[in-house]
Amino acid sequence: MVSQARKSELLFSGSDWNFSKLSRVYDEIEALGTEELGLDIYPVQMEVISSEQMLDAYSSVGMPLMYRHWSFGKRFLYDEFLYRKGARGLAYELVINSNPCIVYLMEENTMALQALVTAHAALGHNHFFKNNHLFRQWTDAGGILSYLDFAKSYIARCEERHGLAAVEAILDSAHALMEQGVFRYHRPPKLSSEQQREGLRERLEYEERSFNDLWRTLPPSQGRNKPEAGDEILAERKKSLKLPEENLLYFLEKNSLVLEPWQREIVRIVRVIAQYFYPQRQTQVMNEGCATFVHYTIMNRLFDRGRISEGAMLEILRNHSNVVFQPTYDDPRYSGINPYALGLDMMQDIQRISTAPTAEDRDWFPDIAGRGDWRDTLLDAWANHRDESFIRQYLSPRLIRKWRLFVLADGADEPHYEVASIHNERGYARIRSALAQSYDIGASRPDIQVVDVDLLGDRHLRLQHKVKDGIMLEGQSRDATLRHIRNLWGYEVSLAAIDAGTGATLSERWTKEL
């Protein structure tokens, strides 16, 4: 039995929730997160939704405002079917990277679960969205909701004016290219005319200072022939179009000669939304790990202070355990590494290394071992890393042993696998590097770029796929995507597969062959 005095200290009792309890719990959680963990968050807007509304949010890629497209309805019916049959559960919450940060809570949640997901989303994810450099660089949290509102109304007006079929045709092609419709690296700002003149003046001055008249007395070298006129034209054309170009949607939006203004705007809308989600694909381990670490730390602090009962804490721990459960490789439920589990383990390991390091930790992490400032280390990691760099820097030998990680070499001409790296000094470094590389989307996603197009000639658009490790594009998907590019471009399109190491042409596919 809980005493009356003890009960009065609790933030809530029982499983039922109301908005007064939610507000009280949020205030307590926010105070703990900002004061003890040093979190910096956007203002929070919490909304309670039904399972039907959660399914609807799933279908529209988690955004509260979205234009209409048949693929969203298809996704809704698929998720609803699995949910009704009990084959899939729903998320306890959904959080939007916006300012204010919007957190959706399921109305079916108990009060203990509402407290858990509030700490997870309203504090953990919120802090990560606001402070991680990728989100700060690529997303506009303050403007995304108004932009989505514009996109929804604009596409609705286009449907009324040009017809549903015409709008869906553009959306279908643009959606097919979303993976190749992002900028992976920030570009330098365009130079002003004054800066261009200054650069030209500096180059001329350098040439005058370094000119030596003796060079003209040397006989011409065969290897230094002047470029052909065709090569000069090609180089000038690529320079004017800023080729090669990695962002296919951007190139089509700016240079397609067949798109009408309203079609270009739709392509741009899809491209902006694709760019908005680009950081999330690079930070799943860190983002979920941060949120899980925050909710686990805050819930334990509340329990230690007597603000949560034993029964509520048991329910919280049960749900927490479900979230971080990692099936073994031979388990039917295994679908890869659980980002919640790996992220939480790495962040708790940083906490351990900072406060109670072993001799091995001091060798591997001399900058943080034993210094006790684990909060500063985590805040710095959350702000300045993505999954690939975070794993490459902070995965410890102790965690490699705990997770039983090793590297398999799988040669195409070998009949058997080979265990290439095990738990020794050299093996730990290779395992860490191999795992980090698997989270580098720049290495795992196809590298396809626009390399040439003659806008004054046949307007043939030439694409190039740099093939790494002999991994070619799947034929059916490649051909379907080329047809979508052809729809947006309006003229002939070809895709050449080029070996990234040797530069040799492996294959070439033309849309006229499809």
Side-chain angles (χ1 to χ4, degrees), residues 252-489:
L252 294 169
E253 173 202 337
K254 300 299 182 183
N255 298 285
S256 175
L257 301 176
V258 301
L259 292 180
E260 297 182 25
W262 67 270
Q263 294 172 318
R264 293 185 196 278
E265 189 61 39
I266 290 179
V267 171
R268 183 174 186 275
I269 287 170
V270 175
R271 178 174 65 83
V272 169
I273 292 175
Q275 194 72 61
Y276 171 83
F277 285 106
Y278 178 61
Q280 299 192 24
R281 297 201 297 270
Q282 299 186 79
T283 57
Q284 190 175 14
V285 170
M286 290 200 67
N287 201 345
E288 299 298 355
C290 169
T292 306
F293 179 88
V294 167
H295 86 229
Y296 184 76
T297 302
I298 289 179
M299 290 299 104
N300 277 280
R301 290 283 194 278
L302 290 176
F303 179 71
D304 292 341
R305 294 182 175 187
R307 306 291 281 167
I308 294 179
S309 67
E310 287 87 348
M313 192 63 190
L314 283 174
E315 181 183 348
I316 287 170
L317 291 176
R318 178 177 64 83
N319 285 290
H320 169 82
S321 299
N322 291 338
V323 166
V324 299
F325 173 64
Q326 175 63 59
T328 56
Y329 76 94
D330 54 351
D331 191 301
R333 296 165 293 180
Y334 179 80
S335 60
I337 293 179
N338 181 350
Y340 295 82
L342 179 61
L344 176 64
D345 270 2
M346 288 189 64
M347 290 164 194
Q348 288 183 328
D349 201 46
I350 290 174
Q351 189 177 29
R352 177 193 62 80
I353 293 170
S354 299
T355 55
T358 63
E360 180 183 57
D361 296 325
R362 295 185 185 278
D363 290 339
W364 280 77
F365 306 101
D367 294 337
I368 65 173
R371 299 202 172 184
D373 54 350
W374 58 268
R375 292 174 183 82
D376 292 339
T377 302
L378 285 177
L379 290 173
D380 178 74
W382 293 337
N384 297 306
H385 287 277
R386 56 178 180 158
D387 290 347
E388 180 266 335
S389 62
F390 180 65
I391 293 171
R392 197 178 295 277
Q393 181 160 334
Y394 289 109
L395 184 65
S396 70
R398 176 169 174 166
L399 272 189
I400 292 174
R401 292 191 295 269
K402 175 184 176 181
W403 280 70
R404 301 178 181 179
L405 300 174
F406 55 90
V407 173
L408 285 178
D410 181 17
D413 54 347
E414 297 294 333
H416 304 289
Y417 291 108
E418 176 189 356
V419 179
S421 299
I422 57 174
H423 295 172
N424 56 30
E425 192 73 16
R426 183 178 298 175
Y428 289 135
R430 289 180 176 174
I431 292 168
R432 181 164 70 175
S433 178
L435 183 62
Q437 189 72 9
S438 70
Y439 284 94
D440 184 0
I441 65 173
S444 60
R445 302 293 171 90
D447 181 7
I448 301 174
Q449 300 182 14
V450 179
V451 292
D452 187 29
V453 59
D454 185 2
L455 293 178
L456 301 179
D458 59 5
R459 298 170 184 174
H460 171 203
L461 181 64
R462 289 177 171 82
L463 308 178
Q464 189 177 92
H465 170 222
K466 292 187 178 180
V467 179
K468 301 176 183 177
D469 301 323
I471 302 175
M472 302 287 286
L473 297 174
E474 193 275 324
Q476 186 176 0
S477 175
R478 174 203 60 200
D479 292 346
T481 305
L482 281 176
R483 283 192 290 268
H484 284 296
I485 297 174
R486 173 71 169 75
N487 292 339
L488 295 177
W489 179 245

Side-chain angles (χ1 to χ4, degrees), residues 49-69 71-77 79-80 83-84 90 94 96 104 106 152:
I49 62 175
S50 65
S51 58
E52 189 88 1
Q53 291 171 312
M54 181 64 79
L55 286 166
D56 184 60
Y58 276 13
S59 67
S60 57
V61 293
M63 303 307 293
L65 294 167
M66 202 63 179
Y67 53 81
R68 295 184 301 178
H69 189 247
S71 63
F72 301 148
K74 179 182 177 181
R75 173 73 186 273
F76 177 87
L77 292 175
D79 289 334
E80 183 186 38
Y83 175 64
R84 302 304 178 196
L90 294 180
L94 197 63
I96 309 299
Y104 293 111
M106 284 275 285
K152 181 178 180 180

